[in-house]
């Protein structure tokens, strides 16, 4: 018997699968997550996989939370340990009173277990060897067998699992029954040999509602389609490749002429990232809506072209699915570490617009919006995803689109405008917002033409190296950036129930963990006002929020406090008032980490918790 009381919870626990890359476990583990979802219980799965060859460790974590907490919590309640290489660290990560499910075909020394957890042995290999002779079948069906064992241990709805198997192998009907059989091999063994269910149980609920289950990269790709993109140029790089691949699939459905069956789009896998951003800029200069999907190393290579697009004022959309850097870094780990490289991309004085979505729904919405912003502001727009959003399925509100939407192409002077005598100066600000008018190539046979250049010029695009016109142009670009402040998504503000002198600023994939952490902090007597920034340049409400609090914690997933530095740099804030809370080991930030770190900082600031007397 374990020394600790076994954990007993319903619809509120974390399951983690420890496997080997290339073992075919991914589909089985996802089957488990989707089965829980079909029971009406929210899940937040995260796939942790290596960036190189078959045979290395991989993990799949499923957060189960009827309360709807979808961020990483920290700690594991039941570990399915299928990889001897990582056994020690996997066992160590289990919460006291938690559970360990393992293959007991071969004996494991007692020293490899813990006295404060419940150990559940199922002879998976022996069952496979008895049922199958083909080595590959033994490997693949072992994964389904342990899912079957879990259905008995956790009291899952088996018909839902069987239904999902049928959907998964639709069109390959010969595989359905063998997988259902393997499922019941594991389930039957547990029912015949072990006490079940265990303290962790699943119970049918209706907590999912009308939310959808989708990867951020797929949602962003769909946003590009609805945003009017017809050109995508990209070079494969983890974790953004699936975005371009999803755009290809979506275009095959939505960008094909129903009569001629011809595609009305161009997708180009370029020879490198330099070529891909060059193609995007060329297509956008010609009037197309174009984008590229990349990650940090790609952003590094695109710097000079991005400077050209900024200075020549050419629309472009760049979706940056961030990963851990620098250099190759950790290609399959998540971070929020590209803010500097995107906000100030290229040499010289440049400032770029950043969109900071929190989930797949906002990835869809912000990507679609970015094409309007790129056209209106005539500049590159960056959509800042990361691996945690991009490559993991998330529950989110349904994607919405108004079919009456009319694209905002910005200030485009037509042939009729030119014939009517309107003055055209490619870099002439006539409205005071810093945004000039442009013309598409071939607009008029004799009017409205200009020379596109990356060198200094005057308001009429005429080459000059005089200081006055150069400074005038640079100041206008700054005014245009200021105009963007009121066009981008505004921050989301949430006040604590009790008045507090302290606040927290966060963004992006930190959001679900932050939403849970705030409950922990309130329970500990630390109410905080919250501000989620959704874009750069920062709206004036960011300055107001900071001014209204003595100290503001800035929570982000990078080493150098990049969001905090941007706020200090752009808002002129005293750095001492912004307290960094930094997480950068490549794993998603957890609610426990946020609550613990902020709690320690508040203690260090000698803050008296707002507890009732005698509590």
């Amino acid at each position: 018997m374990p020394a600790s009381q076994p954990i007993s919870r319903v619809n509120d626990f974390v399951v983690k699968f420890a496997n080997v890359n290339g073992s075919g476990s991914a589909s089985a583990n996802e089957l488990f997550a989707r089965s829980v979802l079909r029971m009406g219980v929210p899940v937040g799965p995260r796939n942790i996989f290596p960036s190189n060859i078959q045979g290395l460790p991989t993990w799949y974590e499923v957060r189960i939370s009827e309360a709807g907490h979808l961020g990483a919590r920290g700690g594991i309640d039941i570990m399915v340990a299928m990889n001897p290489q990582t056994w020690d660290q996997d066992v160590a990560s289990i919460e006291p009173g938690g559970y360990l499910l393992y293959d007991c075909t071969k004996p494991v020394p007692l020293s490899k277990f813990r006295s404060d957890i419940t150990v559940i042995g199922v002879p998976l290999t022996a069952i496979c060897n008895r049922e199958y002779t083909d080595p590959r079948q033994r490997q693949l069906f072992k994964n389904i067998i342990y899912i079957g064992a879990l259905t008995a241990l956790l009291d899952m709805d088996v018909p839902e699992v069987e239904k999902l198997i049928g959907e998964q192998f639709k069109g390959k009907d010969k595989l359905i029954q063998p997988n259902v059989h393997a499922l019941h091999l594991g389930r039957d063994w547990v029912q015949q040999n072990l006490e079940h269910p265990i303290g962790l149980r699943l119970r049918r609920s209706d907590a999912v509602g009308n939310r959808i289950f989708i990867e951020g990269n797929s949602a962003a790709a769909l946003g590009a389609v609805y945003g009017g993109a017809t050109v995508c140029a990209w070079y494969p790089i983890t974790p953004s490749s699936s975005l371009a691949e999803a755009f290809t699939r979506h275009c095959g459905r939505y960008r094909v002429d129903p009569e001629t069956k011809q595609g009305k789009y161009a997708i180009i896998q370029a020879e490198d990232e330099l070529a891909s951003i060059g193609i995007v800029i060329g297509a956008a200069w010609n009037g197309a809506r174009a984008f590229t999907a990349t990650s940090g190393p790609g952003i590094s290579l695109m710097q000079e072209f991005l400077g050209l697009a900024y200075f020549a004022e050419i629309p472009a959309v760049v979706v940056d699915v961030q990963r851990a850097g620098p250099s190759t870094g950790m290609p399959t780990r998540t971070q929020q570490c590209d803010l500097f490289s995107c906000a100030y991309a290229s040499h010289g004085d440049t400032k770029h617009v950043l969109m900071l979505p929190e989930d797949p729904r906002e990835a869809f919405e912000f990507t679609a919006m970015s094409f309007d912003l790129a056209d209106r502001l005539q500049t590159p727009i960056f959509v800042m995803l990361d691996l945690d959003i991009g490559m993991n399925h998330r529950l989110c509100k349904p994607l919405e689109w108004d079919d009456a939407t009319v694209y905002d192409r910005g200030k485009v002077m037509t042939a009729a405008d030119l014939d009517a005598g309107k003055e055209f100066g490619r870099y002439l600000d006539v409205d005071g917002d810093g945004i000039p008018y442009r013309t598409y190539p071939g607009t008029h046979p004799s009017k409205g033409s200009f020379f596109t250049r990356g060198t200094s010029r005057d308001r009429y695009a005429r080459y000059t190296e005089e200081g006055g016109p150069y400074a005038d142009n640079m100041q206008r670009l700054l005014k245009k950036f200021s105009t963007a402040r009121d066009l981008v998504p505004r921050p989301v503000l949430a006040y604590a129930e009790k008045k507090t002198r302290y606040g927290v600023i966060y963004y992006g994939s930190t959001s679900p963990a932050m939403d849970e952490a705030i409950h922990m902090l309130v329970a500990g007597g630390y109410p905080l006002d919250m501000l989620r920034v959704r874009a750069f340049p920062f709206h004036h409400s960011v300055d107001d929020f900071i001014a209204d609090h003595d100290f503001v914690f800035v929570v982000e997933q990078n080493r150098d406090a990049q969001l905090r530095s941007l706020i200090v740099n752009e808002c002129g804030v005293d750095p001492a008032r912004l307290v960094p809370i930094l997480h950068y080991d490549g794993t998603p930030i957890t609610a426990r980490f946020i609550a613990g770190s902020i709690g320690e900082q508040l203690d260090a600031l000698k803050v008296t918790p707002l507890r009732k007397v005698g509590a």
Side-chain angles (χ1 to χ4, degrees):
M1 291 290 292
S4 295
Q5 185 70 21
I7 298 172
S8 180
R9 296 199 202 104
V10 177
N11 293 351
D12 180 21
F13 52 92
V14 178
V15 182
K16 192 168 187 177
F17 300 87
N19 300 102
V20 174
N21 193 35
S23 65
S25 60
S27 59
N29 297 341
E30 186 176 322
L31 173 69
F32 172 81
R34 289 183 177 274
S35 298
V36 178
L37 195 62
R38 286 291 182 90
M39 292 180 65
V41 184
V43 296
R46 283 171 173 80
N47 191 15
I48 306 166
F49 57 98
S51 61
N52 39 25
I53 61 174
Q54 178 174 322
L56 292 181
T58 182
W59 294 268
Y60 189 80
E61 182 175 310
V62 183
R63 176 77 185 277
I64 298 168
S65 172
E66 188 170 4
H69 297 307
L70 302 178
R73 186 198 69 185
I76 307 301
D77 298 310
I78 177 168
M79 172 66 70
V80 182
M82 295 291 111
N83 186 1
Q85 293 175 290
T86 60
W87 175 276
D88 291 342
Q89 68 184 86
D90 293 333
V91 172
S93 68
I94 303 171
E95 297 278 277
Y99 302 81
L100 169 68
L101 173 61
Y102 79 107
D103 183 356
C104 66
T105 301
K106 293 182 179 180
V108 177
L110 290 176
S111 60
K112 289 292 186 178
F113 298 107
R114 285 168 44 189
S115 62
D116 61 344
I117 62 174
T118 298
V119 177
I120 305 168
V122 179
L124 300 169
T125 300
I127 295 172
C128 286
N129 290 345
R130 184 186 70 226
E131 291 287 327
Y132 311 104
T133 56
D134 179 78
R136 184 59 176 165
Q137 280 188 326
R138 288 176 173 176
Q139 182 182 53
L140 294 176
F141 284 125
K142 182 189 292 187
N143 304 316
I144 301 298
I145 291 171
Y146 68 63
I147 298 298
L150 286 173
T151 66
L153 293 169
L154 303 177
D155 199 18
M156 295 177 66
D157 192 336
V158 177
E160 289 291 3
V161 187
E162 294 174 340
K163 184 179 178 181
L164 275 170
I165 289 174
E167 294 175 7
Q168 180 174 323
F169 293 106
K170 186 177 181 180
K172 301 177 181 178
D173 294 350
K174 291 183 179 180
L175 297 177
I176 295 175
Q177 188 52 43
N179 278 274
V180 171
H181 176 66
L183 182 80
H184 281 277
L185 287 175
R187 179 176 177 82
D188 292 346
W189 194 93
V190 170
Q191 290 180 322
Q192 295 166 12
N193 295 277
L194 299 176
E195 292 186 13
H196 63 281
I198 60 174
L200 303 176
R201 301 189 186 188
L202 287 162
R203 181 175 58 204
R204 182 168 286 279
S205 178
D206 59 356
V208 173
N210 69 337
R211 287 179 290 179
I212 63 173
F213 197 52
I214 187 173
E215 288 180 325
N217 280 352
S218 182
L222 196 59
V225 172
Y226 276 79
T230 56
V231 176
C232 171
W234 65 294
Y235 183 76
I237 182 172
T238 302
S240 71
S241 295
S242 62
L243 198 157
E245 292 163 355
F247 182 72
T248 303
R249 293 195 304 273
H250 295 325
C251 282
R253 182 176 180 183
Y254 297 112
R255 284 269 188 273
V256 175
D257 188 284
E259 295 182 2
T260 66
K261 307 301 181 184
Q262 290 186 337
K264 301 167 69 176
Y265 58 92
I267 301 173
I268 304 166
Q269 183 176 319
E271 61 267 32
D272 53 33
E273 287 89 352
L274 282 79
S276 65
I277 188 63
I279 292 168
V280 167
I281 292 170
W285 176 85
N286 230 352
R289 289 195 154 184
F291 79 100
T292 188
T294 190
S295 192
I299 296 294
S300 296
L301 290 169
M302 294 177 184
Q303 295 287 304
E304 187 171 1
F305 261 134
L306 290 168
L308 171 65
Y310 172 80
F311 199 58
E313 299 181 65
I314 301 171
V317 172
V318 179
V319 184
D320 178 14
V321 190
Q322 300 167 89
R323 69 190 207 186
S327 188
T328 306
M330 294 192 291
T332 59
R333 299 293 186 264
T334 193
Q335 273 192 13
Q336 298 173 319
C337 57
D338 292 349
L339 267 67
F340 285 164
S341 59
C342 291
Y344 303 128
S346 192
H347 57 279
D349 294 325
T350 56
K351 289 185 180 181
H352 298 289
V353 174
L354 311 182
M355 307 284 274
L356 308 172
E358 70 165 346
D359 64 5
R361 177 186 167 92
E362 284 194 347
F364 169 82
E365 178 185 344
F366 288 8
T367 303
M369 185 190 306
S370 291
F371 292 94
D372 274 358
L373 287 172
D375 275 345
R376 186 167 179 179
L377 294 166
Q378 302 173 28
T379 196
I381 306 292
F382 292 83
V383 182
M384 307 297 291
L385 299 181
D386 58 38
L387 186 146
D388 191 29
I389 296 175
M391 292 192 71
N392 288 313
H393 282 85
R394 287 277 189 91
L395 269 181
C396 65
K397 294 179 181 179
L399 312 182
E400 294 182 354
W401 183 259
D402 185 354
D403 288 333
T405 298
V406 177
Y407 296 142
D408 183 354
R409 300 311 301 260
K411 297 183 178 181
V412 179
M413 198 166 284
T414 65
D417 293 331
L418 294 167
D419 282 334
K422 286 191 176 181
E423 181 184 15
F424 176 70
R426 176 62 186 95
Y427 302 107
L428 177 66
D429 179 10
V430 297
D431 300 315
D433 59 3
I435 306 171
Y437 279 83
R438 62 176 174 142
T439 56
Y440 295 136
T443 293
H444 194 281
S446 60
K447 301 176 182 178
S449 61
F450 63 95
F451 191 86
T452 304
R453 64 173 78 244
T455 49
S456 182
R457 66 284 168 135
D458 65 13
R459 297 176 179 180
Y460 296 90
R462 296 174 300 206
Y463 171 75
T464 178
E465 292 188 14
E466 294 182 6
Y470 171 80
D472 174 72
N473 188 59
M474 293 297 288
Q475 194 62 32
R476 180 185 57 76
L477 289 171
L478 200 58
K479 184 185 294 183
K480 181 168 72 169
F481 188 73
S482 180
T483 296
R485 181 176 287 111
D486 293 318
L487 301 179
V488 298
R490 296 192 176 189
V492 176
L493 177 61
Y495 288 107
E497 291 185 2
K498 296 181 179 180
K499 187 173 179 59
T500 175
R501 296 176 295 157
Y502 303 96
V504 60
I505 293 176
Y506 61 102
Y507 70 102
S509 65
T510 299
S511 183
M514 186 69 241
D515 290 343
E516 183 179 5
I518 202 69
H519 294 290
M520 298 179 181
L521 288 162
V522 169
Y526 297 123
L528 291 173
D529 295 330
M530 302 166 63
L531 186 78
R532 178 168 68 89
V533 294
R534 301 198 295 166
F536 175 74
F538 303 120
H539 188 259
H540 296 297
S541 57
V542 175
D543 304 72
D544 296 338
F545 182 82
I546 296 170
D548 289 342
H549 297 87
D550 292 349
F551 290 98
V552 174
F553 299 97
V554 183
V555 183
E556 50 188 317
Q557 299 178 65
N558 58 69
R559 185 197 68 182
D560 294 340
Q562 295 186 25
L563 177 64
R564 176 179 177 271
S565 297
L566 281 178
I567 293 172
V568 169
N569 191 43
E570 299 295 328
C571 301
V573 178
D574 178 2
R577 299 183 62 199
L578 299 180
V579 182
I581 302 295
L582 307 175
H583 182 276
Y584 50 90
D585 68 358
T587 63
I589 195 168
T590 67
R592 290 180 179 180
F593 174 85
I594 296 172
S597 299
I598 291 180
E600 289 176 5
Q601 292 284 353
L602 288 172
D603 289 339
L605 292 169
K606 298 182 180 179
V607 177
T608 302
L610 300 178
R611 292 192 177 96
K612 294 181 180 179
V613 176

